[in-house]
Amino acid sequence: QNFEKIEREDPLGKELLYLPSAKGLELLSMGNKGFVADIIFLWSIQYFSIFEPNTQFLYLDQVYDLITELDPRYRDAYHIGALIMLIEAEGDPTKRKESVLRLLDKGIEKVPDDFYMPLEAAWRCYYDFKDFKKAAEYAKIAAERPNADAWAKRMYGYLALQTEEFSVEDAIQYWQDVLTTAETDFQIQTARSALYDLLSRKDKKLLQKYLDKFVQLKGKCPKTWEELIAARITVDNAMLSSVPKDPYNNVYLIDTENCKVVAYKKIKEE
C-alpha cells in the first residue's frame, strides 16, 4: 500500500526553533566563539531564505544579536543582517528602520575603527528611509573615523549642507581642511571638486543678481559679460569690473536663452 506524503505547513518547525543564549554558546564553544558565530551566520543566511516574507523574519533580530554577541567585530554579520532586515517587503517600515539601525548602531559601537559601518547607516537613512538629518549624523561619525575615505567625507559634507547643519561658508571651510589633509590623488580631486561646487555656487548667486538687474533695466539678457560691464550695473553698490572667472580660472558663461550663469566644471591640476 502506498502512503501519501503528509504535507506540513511548517517543514522546519519554526515553533521549535531554539538557540541557546550567547553565554550558553560561549561555554559550549570551548573558547571558539568566532567559529560558532561563523556557523550560526552561515545557517542564518539559509534559514532566512526559505520562509514566506510574512513569517521569515520572526527571529531575525535575535539571531543577528546572538551572532554579534559571540563575535562583536563580525562585520559581515552586521552588514548582511541589516540587508536582510531591509528587504523585508511586507514588514512595518518603522520597525524595519528600527531593526536596521539598531544592528548597525551596535556595529558602530563594537567596531570603532571601522568607518564603513556608520557610512552604511548614513546611506540607508538617506536612500532607503529618507531621514536626511539622521543620515548626516551617521555620515559625520564615518567622516571622523580613522582612515575614512574621500567618499565618507564627501557624503558628510553634502548632507551637512543639505540639512543646513553647514552654511555654505562652513562647507567651504570643511573641504579646505579636507584638502589640506588629503593624502591620495583621489582624496585631493574629491576635495577640489567639492570646493569648486561650493565656491562657484557663491559666485553664481552674486553674478545672477547682475544679470537680473540688467534684464530689469534693459529688458533683455546681455550676450557677453563685456556688455554687462559697459552698462555699469551695480549690485550692493558694487560694479562688475572684469569678466568673472571660477575658482580654477575658467570663465563663467551666460546662458542667454534663460539668462542664467553657467559654470563648466573643468578643474585644472596645480
Side-chain angles (χ1 to χ4, degrees), residues 17-260:
L17 175 65
Y18 173 73
L19 287 174
S21 66
K23 287 188 176 181
L25 284 172
E26 183 176 349
L27 291 173
L28 292 172
S29 72
M30 300 179 66
N32 295 303
K33 293 188 297 180
F35 177 68
V36 175
D38 283 339
I39 293 174
I40 299 174
F41 175 65
L42 294 173
W43 165 82
S44 71
I45 295 174
Q46 180 185 24
Y47 179 79
F48 290 115
S49 67
I50 62 176
F51 289 124
E52 294 298 320
N54 61 334
T55 60
Q56 71 185 111
F57 293 91
L58 294 175
Y59 304 101
L60 191 54
D61 283 347
Q62 296 92 324
V63 168
Y64 282 94
D65 187 59
L66 175 61
I67 295 169
T68 53
E69 282 298 310
L70 289 168
D71 187 351
R73 293 182 61 85
Y74 203 152
R75 290 174 171 83
D76 286 346
Y78 294 113
H79 297 310
I80 298 299
L83 180 61
I84 294 175
M85 293 172 184
L86 187 67
I87 63 176
E88 181 184 357
E90 300 182 15
D92 180 278
T94 301
K95 290 183 178 179
R96 185 188 310 141
K97 177 183 177 183
E98 291 174 354
S99 293
V100 169
L101 295 184
R102 182 166 53 246
L103 183 60
L104 291 176
D105 281 341
K106 184 177 182 181
I108 291 169
E109 177 187 356
K110 299 296 184 181
V111 194
D113 55 337
D114 177 37
F115 76 87
Y116 187 73
M117 202 84 67
L119 184 62
E120 179 176 350
W123 179 249
R124 296 304 177 197
C125 286
Y126 177 78
Y127 184 77
D128 297 302
F129 305 134
K130 311 303 180 188
D131 186 342
F132 305 128
K133 182 175 175 60
K134 194 71 175 175
E137 293 173 4
Y138 282 119
K140 182 178 181 180
I141 296 172
E144 293 176 348
R145 289 254 164 128
N147 303 317
D149 66 7
W151 170 243
K153 294 178 180 180
R154 183 175 180 81
M155 188 173 189
Y156 173 54
Y158 170 78
L159 288 171
L161 187 62
Q162 295 301 311
T163 57
E164 298 183 349
E165 179 183 344
F166 277 176
S167 65
V168 173
E169 288 73 20
D170 291 334
I172 290 171
Q173 183 60 55
Y174 172 79
W175 283 110
Q176 286 175 337
D177 292 342
V178 171
L179 182 59
T180 300
T181 58
E183 297 179 351
T184 68
D185 288 342
F186 179 69
Q187 291 173 345
I188 291 170
Q189 288 304 312
T190 297
R192 285 177 174 170
S193 177
L195 278 170
Y196 181 95
D197 290 341
L198 291 163
L199 292 169
S200 64
R201 179 191 297 194
K202 282 187 65 178
D203 289 348
K204 289 192 295 182
K205 184 177 180 180
L206 176 60
L207 293 172
Q208 190 61 47
K209 291 181 180 180
Y210 283 99
L211 292 181
D212 293 343
K213 188 74 171 289
F214 187 98
V215 172
Q216 181 183 353
L217 294 175
K218 304 292 185 178
K220 64 174 185 176
C221 184
K223 294 181 178 180
T224 64
W225 291 113
E226 287 83 359
E227 183 181 355
L228 187 146
I229 292 168
R232 302 180 65 82
I233 300 293
T234 60
V235 171
D236 297 330
N237 297 318
M239 289 189 296
L240 198 63
S241 59
S242 61
V243 174
K245 296 182 179 181
D246 70 17
Y248 290 94
N249 210 36
N250 306 305
V251 174
Y252 287 113
L253 302 180
I254 301 174
D255 174 2
T256 56
E257 183 176 347
N258 300 298
C259 210
K260 299 292 183 184

